[in-house]
Each structure stands twice: as structure tokens, then as C-alpha cells.
């Protein structure tokens, strides 16, 4: 499963759902939370069910409302019945929330005759101050964890901040720290890290810069909020022909089983070999 681009689609919008069908996004996230007005939630759940019935092959995720909030059980029962690839979980204060969700999902999978553990989870793991402090607990990963992403919007509201960006547009220091911790938490849990969204959806140049930086730092994909962002993100998270060629040169330098090698006057050892193998694996996955 390759998860470079994950496109959010407000699940109460027939128009956007139809548009999403033709998007080259690796995954869709049908949103039942912040982009849907509470009075539209029931309608949106019906549209999620319909959408999943008509979709073949692509990973369709659903962002549910926070675990334990009013209407949680009914919403979860409806969504699980549609057997999505996974659930994006907003605002969990800690991985324990995902453990509680796992128990509820296990019951529903039994009820509906679905494979146990088939529905995966991806938390937006930094939306509350408590959640940030619990990131270390992902070292002992909760069941079903497939990826971890982070968000700055709800967190800055919770912190009482007036803004989460510097004048020049970069994230303020607190959010850079949180982003790094989320990346490290994902890797400690052994799952993919997904970069947060770029809200300025007409800014293709800025998006490309952010996405390339994310890939360099170790993220394997990024959230999208507009169809126009998907191709930029897919390209940024796919190794270029030059990168693939360079990776092959690095691997060739180790031919014969040497532990250390030299290439273009620089020392190469095991981490470089591993990085080169990662690039080839990613390029191969992107081709499929
Ligand atoms: N998924 C599918 N289709 C989308 C889409 C999305 N996320 N965002 C826009 N579109 C569609 C529009 O309906 C429009 O369709 P049309 O060509 O048939 O008219 C087309 O793409 C172009 O959209 P555009 O006019 O550029 O944007 P907009 O002003 O209609 O919408 C947003 C802007 C931000 C409201 C919209 O992109 C959106 O809803 N994004 C997702 C928000 C979300 O899910 N937030 C929760 C996660 S933070
Ligand atoms: Mg939110």
C-alpha cells in the first residue's frame, strides 16, 4: 500500500464526492468531522456508505468525529458497516483512545462478519496539548495503527495562540517541534508518517516545497484538501529518475558484500545502503 497523497473530501457534498472518484489520489479521506455541519452528518454517513459500495481498488478512509463524543457509537456502527480501509481519528488525547476504538471496532467487525482488525486507524495525533505530551506512548503502538499524521490548526486554538505561522509563512517553533515529534512517534511505532495539509490550496509552489521537505525528512505522504494538490504531492513523494539512478550507483558500490564503500570521494556505509534500497522500493511501489 502506497500512501503519498490522501485527499480530504467533505462527505456531505455529492459534487465533491463525484469529483474525488476521478482523482489520482492514493487514498481518499471522506470527512464526517470539521468540514461537515452537524445537521448534515446523517446525510453524509449515507453518502459514505454509497460511495464505498461503488469504489473498487482504492483505499477509502473515513474521518470520524472524536471518539466518545455525542453520537459516536451510532456513527461508528454506520461507518464500520461500510468497511472502509481505515478511520482517521481526530483529537485523540493519547493512544489509549485508539485502544478503546479498537475494542468497539472488533465488536462491530464480528457483528458485520468483517475480517478482524481489517479496519485500520490513523490518528491526527497532535490536536490537543495532552496529545502532544502522549506522543511518546506510540512506542507501544495501539492495535490497527497504520499511519500517524499531525495537525496545527486545532492545536493552536487549544494553545490560545493568535497564529501558528511566522510572518514569512513558516510554522512557528512550537509547531515545528510538534511536527518532528509526530514523525519520530510514527517511526517508533513502525508506521508511516503523513505530513499535515497545506491550507493555501492555490499555492502550488509552496506546496511543492513543503511536500519535498516532508519527504526529505522521512514523511511518506501528505494530506490534501483540494484535487489540484494531488499531482504535486504524488510527484514530490515519488523518487525522480535521477534519484533512482543514484540509488542504483550506491547499491552497486556495495557489490561483493563490502560493509563500507566509497563513491565520488565520500564514504558510504550501512545507512546509505538502506536509504538507497528505500528509494528503489518507493519507486517500485509508485510504478504499481
Ligand atoms: N474533494 C473533491 N472535490 C473538490 C474538493 C475536494 N476536497 N475541493 C474542491 N473540489 C471540487 C469543487 O467542487 C470544484 O468542482 P467543479 O469543478 O465540479 O465545480 C472543483 O473541485 C474546483 O474547486 P474550487 O472551486 O477550486 O474550490 P472550492 O472553492 O469549491 O472549494 C474548499 C475550496 C477548500 C472549500 C474545498 O477544496 C474543500 O472542501 N476542501 C476540503 C475541506 C476538508 O475536507 N476539510 C477537512 C480537512 S482539514
Ligand atoms: Mg480539525
Amino acid at each position: 500500500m502506497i500512501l503519498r497523497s490522501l485527499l480530504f473530501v467533505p462527505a456531505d457534498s455529492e459534487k465533491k464526492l463525484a469529483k474525488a472518484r476521478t482523482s489520482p489520489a492514493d487514498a481518499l479521506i471522506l470527512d464526517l468531522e470539521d468540514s461537515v455541519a452537524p445537521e448534515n452528518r446523517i446525510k453524509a454517513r449515507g453518502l459514505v456508505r454509497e460511495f464505498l459500495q461503488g469504489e473498487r481498488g482504492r483505499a477509502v478512509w473515513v474521518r470520524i468525529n472524536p471518539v466518545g463524543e455525542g453520537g459516536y457509537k451510532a456513527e461508528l456502527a454506520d461507518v464500520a458497516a461500510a468497511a472502509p480501509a481505515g478511520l482517521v481519528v481526530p483529537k485523540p488525547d493519547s493512544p489509549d483512545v485508539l485502544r478503546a476504538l479498537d475494542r468497539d471496532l472488533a465488536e462491530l467487525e464480528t457483528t458485520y462478519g468483517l475480517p478482524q482488525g481489517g479496519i485500520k486507524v490513523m490518528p491526527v495525533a497532535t490536536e490537543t496539548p495532552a496529545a502532544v505530551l502522549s506522543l511518546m506512548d506510540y512506542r507501544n503502538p495501539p492495535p490497527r495503527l497504520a499511519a500517524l499524521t499531525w495537525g496545527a490548526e486545532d492545536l493552536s486554538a487549544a494553545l490560545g495562540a493568535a497564529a501558528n505561522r511566522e510572518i514569512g509563512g513558516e510554522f512557528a517553533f512550537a509547531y515545528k517541534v510538534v511536527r518532528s515529534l509526530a514523525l519520530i512517534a510514527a517511526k517508533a511505532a513502525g508506521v508511516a508518517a503523513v505530513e499535515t495539509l497545506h491550507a493555501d490550496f492555490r499555492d502550488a509552489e509552496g506546496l511543492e516545497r513543503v511536500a519535498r521537505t516532508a519527504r526529505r525528512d522521512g514523511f511518506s505522504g501528505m494530506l490534501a484538501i483540494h484535487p489540484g494538490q494531488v499531482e504535486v504531492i504524488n510527484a514530490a513523494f515519488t523518487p525522480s529518475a535521477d534519484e533512482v539512478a543514484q540509488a542504483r550507483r550506491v547499491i552497486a558500490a556495495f557489490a561483493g558484500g563490502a560493509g563500507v564503500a566509497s563513491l565520488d570521494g565520500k564514504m558510504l556505509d550501512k545507512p546509505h545502503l538502506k536509504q538507497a534500497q528505500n528509494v528503489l522500493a518507493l519507486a517500485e511501489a509508485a510504478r504499481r
Side-chain angles (χ1 to χ4, degrees):
M1 174 188 65
I2 184 163
L3 273 185
R4 296 167 302 180
S5 52
L6 302 89
L7 175 63
F8 265 114
V9 190
D12 61 344
S13 167
E14 281 101 333
K15 189 169 156 209
K16 287 175 189 169
L17 288 166
K19 184 112 184 163
R21 287 248 192 243
T22 63
S23 167
D26 289 333
L28 301 176
I29 304 173
L30 310 188
D31 187 27
L32 292 173
E33 199 217 5
D34 285 348
S35 72
V36 174
E39 61 271 22
N40 284 347
R41 278 188 192 165
I42 304 281
K43 170 196 168 186
R45 271 146 59 179
L47 292 177
V48 163
R49 226 175 11 247
E50 253 175 54
F51 190 93
L52 274 151
Q53 278 162 2
E55 187 71 24
R56 292 275 165 276
R58 193 204 335 232
V60 179
W61 290 65
V62 178
R63 181 165 72 170
I64 58 173
N65 282 280
V67 173
E69 253 190 19
Y72 154 72
K73 286 262 166 146
E75 182 187 82
L76 190 68
D78 254 22
V79 171
L87 303 179
V88 174
V89 184
K91 307 178 182 71
D93 277 336
S94 82
D96 284 341
V97 172
L98 303 179
R99 295 192 174 90
L101 174 61
D102 167 61
R103 293 189 287 274
D104 295 336
L105 280 173
E107 261 182 46
L108 291 166
E109 283 167 340
T110 303
T111 307
Y112 299 134
L114 296 169
Q116 278 295 322
I119 302 174
K120 304 298 177 198
V121 300
M122 166 165 45
V124 189
T126 67
E127 291 192 302
T128 71
V132 174
L133 295 182
S134 81
L135 280 171
M136 271 181 245
D137 301 340
Y138 283 93
R139 208 166 23 167
N140 171 24
R144 301 172 187 269
L145 191 72
L148 187 152
T149 189
W150 75 285
E153 304 307 327
D154 289 273
L155 180 63
S156 56
L159 293 180
N164 53 29
R165 296 190 179 260
E166 306 285 359
I167 307 287
E170 285 210 4
F171 274 121
F173 182 67
Y175 307 92
K176 289 185 178 168
V177 171
V178 166
R179 172 182 179 275
S180 303
L181 290 175
L183 169 66
I184 293 165
K187 298 302 157 147
V191 301
V194 174
E195 176 65 295
T196 197
L197 54 97
H198 190 65
D200 187 356
F201 59 85
R202 306 263 183 247
D203 171 30
E205 220 171 274
L207 173 65
E208 183 180 350
R209 195 169 53 242
V210 170
R212 286 193 185 284
T213 304
R215 171 157 169 247
R216 180 201 68 193
D217 290 350
F219 289 90
S220 40
M222 180 167 174
L223 302 175
I225 50 155
H226 189 280
Q229 294 185 314
V230 168
E231 286 182 48
V232 176
I233 293 174
N234 281 351
F237 285 95
T238 305
S240 67
D242 283 355
E243 284 173 86
V244 170
Q246 181 61 15
R248 288 197 206 288
R249 291 184 70 221
V250 169
I251 289 167
F254 285 92
V260 64
S262 83
L263 186 66
D264 305 330
K266 293 205 181 77
M267 182 200 74
L268 298 176
D269 60 4
K270 208 157 165 200
H272 303 101
L273 178 60
K274 191 154 183 249
Q275 272 163 3
Q277 287 163 340
N278 286 346
V279 167
L280 292 193
L282 190 56
E284 178 57 32
R287 249 198 310 277
R288 273 190 266 114

